[in-house]
Amino acid sequence: MRKEILVLGMSCLTLLGSAGSALAAASALSVTAPADSKDLIGRWDLTIDENGKPAPSWLEVKLSGNRTLVGYFVGVSGSARPVAKVNFDNGKFSFAIPPQWEGGNQDFVIEGALTAGGMEGTITTSEGKKYNWKGVKAPYLKRTAAPVWGKAISLFNGKDLTGWKALGKNQWEVRSGVLTSPHSGANLISEQTFTDFKLHVEFRYQKGSNSGVYLRGRHEVQIEDSPKDAHPSSVLFSGVYGFLAPSEIAALGPDTWQSYDITLIGRMVTLVVNGKTVISNQEIPGITGGALDSNEGAPGPIYIQGDHGPIEFKKIVITPAK
Protein backbone atom coordinates (compact mmCIF):
# COMPACT_ATOMS: atom_id res chain seq x y z
CA MET A 1 0.00 0.00 0.00
CA ARG A 2 2.79 2.39 0.92
CA LYS A 3 4.50 1.56 -2.37
CA GLU A 4 1.31 2.36 -4.30
CA ILE A 5 0.95 5.70 -2.50
CA LEU A 6 4.59 6.52 -3.32
CA VAL A 7 4.08 5.70 -6.99
CA LEU A 8 0.88 7.77 -7.06
CA GLY A 9 2.65 10.72 -5.48
CA MET A 10 5.49 10.56 -7.97
CA SER A 11 2.96 10.47 -10.83
CA CYS A 12 1.23 13.58 -9.49
CA LEU A 13 4.54 15.41 -9.29
CA THR A 14 5.30 14.43 -12.88
CA LEU A 15 1.91 15.74 -14.01
CA LEU A 16 2.41 18.98 -12.11
CA GLY A 17 5.81 19.40 -13.73
CA SER A 18 4.31 18.88 -17.19
CA ALA A 19 1.56 21.39 -16.44
CA GLY A 20 4.15 23.89 -15.26
CA SER A 21 6.11 23.45 -18.48
CA ALA A 22 2.96 23.96 -20.52
CA LEU A 23 2.13 27.13 -18.58
CA ALA A 24 5.66 28.42 -19.11
CA ALA A 25 5.36 27.74 -22.85
CA ALA A 26 2.02 29.51 -22.99
CA SER A 27 3.53 32.46 -21.14
CA ALA A 28 6.38 32.62 -23.66
CA LEU A 29 3.89 32.58 -26.54
CA SER A 30 1.93 35.43 -25.00
CA VAL A 31 5.08 37.55 -25.06
CA THR A 32 5.62 37.01 -28.79
CA ALA A 33 1.98 37.73 -29.67
CA PRO A 34 0.98 40.86 -27.74
CA ALA A 35 -2.59 40.86 -26.47
CA ASP A 36 -4.99 43.00 -28.52
CA SER A 37 -2.45 43.70 -31.27
CA LYS A 38 -4.99 42.29 -33.70
CA ASP A 39 -7.20 45.28 -32.92
CA LEU A 40 -4.46 47.65 -34.09
CA ILE A 41 -3.69 45.78 -37.30
CA GLY A 42 -5.35 47.28 -40.36
CA ARG A 43 -5.78 50.61 -42.13
CA TRP A 44 -6.83 53.78 -40.36
CA ASP A 45 -8.12 57.13 -41.65
CA LEU A 46 -6.74 59.83 -39.37
CA THR A 47 -7.60 63.50 -38.86
CA ILE A 48 -5.05 65.75 -37.18
CA ASP A 49 -6.25 68.84 -35.31
CA GLU A 50 -3.77 71.55 -36.28
CA ASN A 51 -4.95 74.28 -33.91
CA GLY A 52 -8.56 73.93 -34.99
CA LYS A 53 -7.85 73.13 -38.64
CA PRO A 54 -8.49 69.47 -39.63
CA ALA A 55 -5.66 67.88 -41.63
CA PRO A 56 -5.93 64.39 -43.18
CA SER A 57 -3.51 61.57 -42.45
CA TRP A 58 -3.43 57.77 -42.76
CA LEU A 59 -1.89 54.73 -41.06
CA GLU A 60 -1.53 51.05 -41.87
CA VAL A 61 -0.29 48.52 -39.29
CA LYS A 62 0.83 45.02 -40.28
CA LEU A 63 2.25 42.00 -38.48
CA SER A 64 5.76 41.04 -39.59
CA GLY A 65 6.47 37.44 -38.60
CA ASN A 66 4.74 36.46 -35.36
CA ARG A 67 5.53 39.35 -33.02
CA THR A 68 6.73 42.56 -34.74
CA LEU A 69 4.31 45.26 -35.82
CA VAL A 70 5.35 47.39 -38.81
CA GLY A 71 3.46 49.73 -41.08
CA TYR A 72 3.08 52.73 -43.36
CA PHE A 73 2.16 56.31 -42.48
CA VAL A 74 0.96 59.21 -44.63
CA GLY A 75 1.29 62.65 -43.11
CA VAL A 76 -0.27 65.94 -44.11
CA SER A 77 2.13 66.06 -47.06
CA GLY A 78 4.30 63.61 -48.96
CA SER A 79 4.02 59.93 -49.73
CA ALA A 80 3.46 56.77 -47.69
CA ARG A 81 6.47 56.27 -45.41
CA PRO A 82 7.57 52.91 -44.03
CA VAL A 83 7.39 52.39 -40.27
CA ALA A 84 10.13 49.99 -39.19
CA LYS A 85 8.49 49.12 -35.86
CA VAL A 86 5.26 50.00 -34.09
CA ASN A 87 5.65 49.66 -30.31
CA PHE A 88 2.48 48.30 -28.71
CA ASP A 89 1.60 47.59 -25.09
CA ASN A 90 -1.78 47.26 -23.37
CA GLY A 91 -3.73 49.12 -26.04
CA LYS A 92 -1.20 51.95 -26.45
CA PHE A 93 1.22 52.31 -29.36
CA SER A 94 3.98 54.59 -30.64
CA PHE A 95 6.46 54.90 -33.49
CA ALA A 96 8.87 57.41 -35.00
CA ILE A 97 9.64 58.30 -38.64
CA PRO A 98 12.14 60.75 -40.17
CA PRO A 99 10.92 63.90 -41.95
CA GLN A 100 10.36 63.75 -45.70
CA TRP A 101 9.51 67.11 -47.33
CA GLU A 102 8.93 68.94 -44.05
CA GLY A 103 11.25 71.34 -42.25
CA GLY A 104 12.84 70.61 -38.91
CA ASN A 105 15.56 68.14 -38.02
CA GLN A 106 13.92 65.70 -35.61
CA ASP A 107 11.83 62.60 -36.15
CA PHE A 108 8.07 62.69 -36.14
CA VAL A 109 6.76 60.88 -33.05
CA ILE A 110 3.27 59.41 -33.20
CA GLU A 111 1.67 58.14 -29.98
CA GLY A 112 -1.83 56.76 -29.61
CA ALA A 113 -4.27 54.42 -27.95
CA LEU A 114 -7.14 52.26 -29.10
CA THR A 115 -10.57 53.55 -28.07
CA ALA A 116 -14.11 52.22 -28.28
CA GLY A 117 -14.68 54.17 -31.49
CA GLY A 118 -11.24 53.77 -33.08
CA MET A 119 -8.01 55.40 -31.90
CA GLU A 120 -6.67 58.77 -30.80
CA GLY A 121 -3.38 60.29 -29.78
CA THR A 122 -0.75 62.95 -30.47
CA ILE A 123 1.81 63.70 -33.16
CA THR A 124 4.98 65.67 -32.54
CA THR A 125 6.31 67.06 -35.82
CA SER A 126 9.87 67.38 -37.07
CA GLU A 127 9.69 71.02 -35.98
CA GLY A 128 8.63 70.10 -32.44
CA LYS A 129 4.96 71.09 -32.79
CA LYS A 130 2.47 68.82 -31.04
CA TYR A 131 -1.08 68.14 -32.24
CA ASN A 132 -3.93 65.83 -31.28
CA TRP A 133 -5.47 63.42 -33.75
CA LYS A 134 -8.28 60.87 -34.01
CA GLY A 135 -8.71 57.88 -36.29
CA VAL A 136 -11.29 55.40 -37.52
CA LYS A 137 -10.89 52.12 -39.39
CA ALA A 138 -10.65 52.76 -43.13
CA PRO A 139 -13.51 51.32 -45.21
CA TYR A 140 -12.85 48.35 -47.50
CA LEU A 141 -14.84 49.92 -50.38
CA LYS A 142 -15.57 46.51 -51.89
CA ARG A 143 -18.16 46.46 -54.67
CA THR A 144 -20.50 43.47 -55.06
CA ALA A 145 -21.55 44.15 -58.65
CA ALA A 146 -20.07 45.68 -61.78
CA PRO A 147 -20.91 49.37 -62.21
CA VAL A 148 -23.57 50.63 -64.57
CA TRP A 149 -22.17 53.75 -66.19
CA GLY A 150 -24.14 56.96 -66.57
CA LYS A 151 -23.71 59.74 -69.09
CA ALA A 152 -20.35 61.41 -69.69
CA ILE A 153 -19.95 64.88 -68.16
CA SER A 154 -17.52 67.50 -69.46
CA LEU A 155 -16.10 69.09 -66.32
CA PHE A 156 -14.29 71.76 -68.36
CA ASN A 157 -16.43 73.73 -70.82
CA GLY A 158 -13.53 75.19 -72.81
CA LYS A 159 -14.60 78.76 -71.99
CA ASP A 160 -14.17 79.56 -68.30
CA LEU A 161 -13.83 78.11 -64.78
CA THR A 162 -17.53 77.32 -64.35
CA GLY A 163 -17.87 74.27 -62.06
CA TRP A 164 -14.44 74.78 -60.45
CA LYS A 165 -13.06 76.64 -57.45
CA ALA A 166 -9.50 77.55 -56.56
CA LEU A 167 -7.96 76.78 -53.18
CA GLY A 168 -6.31 80.13 -52.56
CA LYS A 169 -5.49 83.04 -54.86
CA ASN A 170 -6.50 81.91 -58.35
CA GLN A 171 -3.94 81.85 -61.17
CA TRP A 172 -5.96 79.53 -63.46
CA GLU A 173 -7.33 80.94 -66.71
CA VAL A 174 -8.67 79.75 -70.05
CA ARG A 175 -6.53 80.51 -73.11
CA SER A 176 -7.87 79.55 -76.54
CA GLY A 177 -9.98 76.76 -75.06
CA VAL A 178 -7.18 75.46 -72.79
CA LEU A 179 -7.40 75.44 -68.99
CA THR A 180 -4.06 76.94 -68.02
CA SER A 181 -2.05 77.41 -64.84
CA PRO A 182 0.85 79.58 -66.11
CA HIS A 183 2.81 79.35 -62.86
CA SER A 184 2.69 77.75 -59.42
CA GLY A 185 -0.32 78.82 -57.40
CA ALA A 186 -3.64 77.46 -56.19
CA ASN A 187 -5.00 73.97 -56.71
CA LEU A 188 -8.31 73.59 -58.54
CA ILE A 189 -11.28 71.56 -57.28
CA SER A 190 -14.44 70.50 -59.09
CA GLU A 191 -17.70 71.58 -57.48
CA GLN A 192 -19.29 68.20 -58.26
CA THR A 193 -18.33 65.12 -56.26
CA PHE A 194 -18.15 61.51 -57.41
CA THR A 195 -17.84 57.96 -56.09
CA ASP A 196 -16.96 55.45 -58.85
CA PHE A 197 -16.16 56.78 -62.31
CA LYS A 198 -14.21 56.73 -65.55
CA LEU A 199 -12.12 59.86 -66.06
CA HIS A 200 -10.49 61.09 -69.28
CA VAL A 201 -8.02 63.97 -69.06
CA GLU A 202 -5.80 65.51 -71.73
CA PHE A 203 -2.89 67.58 -70.43
CA ARG A 204 0.40 69.20 -71.37
CA TYR A 205 3.30 70.17 -69.11
CA GLN A 206 6.48 72.13 -69.60
CA LYS A 207 10.00 70.77 -69.14
CA GLY A 208 10.64 70.09 -65.45
CA SER A 209 7.05 70.81 -64.37
CA ASN A 210 4.88 68.77 -62.02
CA SER A 211 1.15 68.40 -61.39
CA GLY A 212 -1.36 65.67 -60.58
CA VAL A 213 -5.00 64.66 -60.60
CA TYR A 214 -6.52 63.66 -57.25
CA LEU A 215 -9.33 61.09 -57.50
CA ARG A 216 -12.17 61.88 -55.07
CA GLY A 217 -9.80 64.57 -53.81
CA ARG A 218 -7.75 61.90 -51.99
CA HIS A 219 -5.65 59.73 -54.34
CA GLU A 220 -3.17 61.49 -56.63
CA VAL A 221 -2.25 60.22 -60.08
CA GLN A 222 1.10 61.88 -60.72
CA ILE A 223 1.77 64.13 -63.71
CA GLU A 224 5.46 64.92 -63.92
CA ASP A 225 8.22 65.44 -66.46
CA SER A 226 9.82 62.03 -65.83
CA PRO A 227 12.45 60.57 -68.21
CA LYS A 228 11.09 57.73 -70.34
CA ASP A 229 14.01 55.51 -69.34
CA ALA A 230 13.48 56.08 -65.60
CA HIS A 231 12.67 53.03 -63.52
CA PRO A 232 8.88 53.17 -62.89
CA SER A 233 8.02 54.51 -59.46
CA SER A 234 4.90 55.51 -57.59
CA VAL A 235 6.18 59.10 -57.37
CA LEU A 236 6.99 59.47 -61.08
CA PHE A 237 4.79 59.98 -64.15
CA SER A 238 1.51 58.00 -63.99
CA GLY A 239 2.15 56.58 -60.51
CA VAL A 240 -0.57 56.61 -57.86
CA TYR A 241 1.55 58.75 -55.58
CA GLY A 242 3.33 56.80 -52.88
CA PHE A 243 1.46 53.54 -53.50
CA LEU A 244 1.28 52.16 -57.06
CA ALA A 245 4.04 52.23 -59.69
CA PRO A 246 3.12 52.01 -63.39
CA SER A 247 4.48 49.11 -65.43
CA GLU A 248 6.38 51.58 -67.60
CA ILE A 249 6.90 55.32 -68.07
CA ALA A 250 4.70 55.80 -71.15
CA ALA A 251 5.21 59.57 -71.24
CA LEU A 252 5.52 61.45 -74.53
CA GLY A 253 7.58 64.21 -72.95
CA PRO A 254 7.09 67.93 -72.24
CA ASP A 255 5.20 70.34 -74.51
CA THR A 256 3.15 67.45 -75.94
CA TRP A 257 -0.53 66.70 -75.39
CA GLN A 258 -0.99 63.43 -73.49
CA SER A 259 -3.91 61.54 -71.99
CA TYR A 260 -4.90 59.56 -68.92
CA ASP A 261 -7.92 57.27 -68.88
CA ILE A 262 -8.61 56.32 -65.26
CA THR A 263 -11.23 53.91 -63.98
CA LEU A 264 -11.84 53.95 -60.22
CA ILE A 265 -14.22 51.42 -58.66
CA GLY A 266 -14.06 51.30 -54.88
CA ARG A 267 -10.31 51.16 -54.23
CA MET A 268 -9.51 49.43 -57.51
CA VAL A 269 -7.90 51.57 -60.19
CA THR A 270 -6.95 51.04 -63.83
CA LEU A 271 -4.83 53.63 -65.63
CA VAL A 272 -4.30 53.86 -69.40
CA VAL A 273 -1.61 56.33 -70.47
CA ASN A 274 -1.57 57.48 -74.09
CA GLY A 275 -3.34 54.24 -75.04
CA LYS A 276 -1.16 51.90 -72.91
CA THR A 277 -2.43 50.19 -69.76
CA VAL A 278 0.20 50.78 -67.07
CA ILE A 279 -1.86 49.98 -63.94
CA SER A 280 -4.47 47.23 -64.19
CA ASN A 281 -7.15 46.88 -61.52
CA GLN A 282 -4.84 47.51 -58.56
CA GLU A 283 -5.89 48.47 -55.03
CA ILE A 284 -5.15 51.97 -53.72
CA PRO A 285 -4.44 51.39 -50.01
CA GLY A 286 -4.95 54.93 -48.72
CA ILE A 287 -4.82 58.68 -49.23
CA THR A 288 -2.03 60.81 -50.67
CA GLY A 289 -0.41 63.57 -48.65
CA GLY A 290 -2.15 66.78 -49.66
CA ALA A 291 -5.57 65.10 -49.83
CA LEU A 292 -8.60 67.24 -49.06
CA ASP A 293 -9.73 64.90 -46.28
CA SER A 294 -9.37 61.31 -45.04
CA ASN A 295 -13.05 60.36 -45.25
CA GLU A 296 -12.40 57.62 -47.81
CA GLY A 297 -15.94 56.27 -47.87
CA ALA A 298 -17.48 59.55 -49.03
CA PRO A 299 -17.82 60.92 -52.58
CA GLY A 300 -15.17 63.46 -53.50
CA PRO A 301 -14.24 65.96 -56.22
CA ILE A 302 -11.66 65.91 -58.99
CA TYR A 303 -8.76 67.99 -57.68
CA ILE A 304 -5.99 69.30 -59.96
CA GLN A 305 -2.61 70.26 -58.56
CA GLY A 306 -1.50 73.73 -59.56
CA ASP A 307 1.14 74.49 -56.93
CA HIS A 308 4.10 72.66 -58.51
CA GLY A 309 4.59 74.45 -61.84
CA PRO A 310 2.83 75.30 -65.13
CA ILE A 311 0.22 72.84 -66.41
CA GLU A 312 -2.50 72.83 -69.10
CA PHE A 313 -5.67 70.77 -69.63
CA LYS A 314 -7.91 70.78 -72.68
CA LYS A 315 -10.31 67.92 -71.84
CA ILE A 316 -11.64 66.71 -68.51
CA VAL A 317 -14.49 64.27 -69.03
CA ILE A 318 -15.96 62.04 -66.32
CA THR A 319 -18.45 59.18 -66.61
CA PRO A 320 -19.89 58.42 -63.16
CA ALA A 321 -21.39 55.12 -62.11
CA LYS A 322 -25.13 55.24 -61.53
Side-chain angles (χ1 to χ4, degrees), residues 110-284:
I110 293 88
E111 297 176 297
L114 294 170
T115 65
M119 59 167 61
E120 61 183 34
T122 61
I123 179 170
T124 304
T125 72
S126 55
E127 297 174 321
K129 298 176 182 179
K130 192 170 185 177
Y131 303 114
N132 296 324
W133 58 263
K134 291 185 178 181
V136 296
K137 270 291 181 72
Y140 288 111
L141 302 182
K142 289 184 177 178
R143 304 297 189 239
T144 57
V148 176
W149 300 111
K151 293 183 179 179
I153 302 168
S154 292
L155 294 180
F156 170 52
N157 63 15
K159 300 175 182 179
D160 54 36
L161 296 179
T162 298
W164 296 87
K165 57 184 178 181
L167 272 183
K169 185 178 179 181
N170 179 48
Q171 82 285 358
W172 293 86
E173 56 186 347
V174 179
R175 299 178 178 177
S176 302
V178 176
L179 179 61
T180 303
S181 175
H183 54 78
S184 296
N187 298 323
L188 204 60
I189 302 171
S190 70
E191 293 178 351
Q192 294 187 65
T193 60
F194 307 94
T195 302
D196 294 347
F197 53 81
K198 295 188 291 186
L199 177 67
H200 174 81
V201 294
E202 296 179 18
F203 57 88
R204 181 170 62 184
Y205 52 79
Q206 297 179 15
K207 183 175 178 59
S209 195
N210 182 313
S211 181
V213 177
Y214 279 71
L215 314 177
R216 303 191 194 117
R218 302 181 189 104
H219 317 290
E220 183 191 7
V221 179
Q222 175 79 306
I223 296 174
E224 189 205 50
D225 183 19
S226 302
K228 287 192 69 172
D229 59 354
H231 186 78
S233 165
S234 66
V235 300
L236 296 182
F237 183 88
S238 69
V240 176
Y241 196 83
F243 287 115
L244 302 178
S247 58
E248 63 177 290
I249 303 292
L252 301 178
D255 304 315
T256 303
W257 285 107
Q258 306 187 59
S259 68
Y260 283 170
D261 286 282
I262 305 166
T263 302
L264 181 65
I265 302 171
R267 290 188 179 278
M268 309 307 291
V269 65
T270 294
L271 173 58
V272 179
V273 177
N274 300 319
K276 291 184 178 181
T277 301
V278 298
I279 296 176
S280 180
N281 199 38
Q282 296 296 301
E283 183 190 40
I284 304 177

Side-chain angles (χ1 to χ4, degrees), residues 46-48 54-58 74-77 287-295:
L46 311 181
T47 300
I48 302 171
S57 185
W58 178 87
V74 175
V76 176
S77 64
I287 67 170
T288 306
L292 296 176
D293 61 52
S294 57
N295 187 11

Side-chain angles (χ1 to χ4, degrees), residues 72-126:
Y72 281 90
F73 178 79
V74 175
V76 176
S77 64
S79 62
R81 314 175 199 192
V83 179
K85 185 178 181 182
V86 178
N87 304 302
F88 182 83
D89 181 39
N90 197 28
K92 296 182 178 181
F93 65 92
S94 64
F95 59 90
I97 53 172
Q100 192 179 63
W101 303 107
E102 304 86 0
N105 55 10
Q106 64 186 51
D107 285 352
F108 282 80
V109 177
I110 293 88
E111 297 176 297
L114 294 170
T115 65
M119 59 167 61
E120 61 183 34
T122 61
I123 179 170
T124 304
T125 72
S126 55

Side-chain angles (χ1 to χ4, degrees), residues 38-55:
K38 66 181 185 301
D39 297 322
L40 182 63
I41 293 170
R43 296 170 179 167
W44 299 85
D45 289 336
L46 311 181
T47 300
I48 302 171
D49 181 0
E50 293 186 338
N51 299 322
K53 178 184 176 182

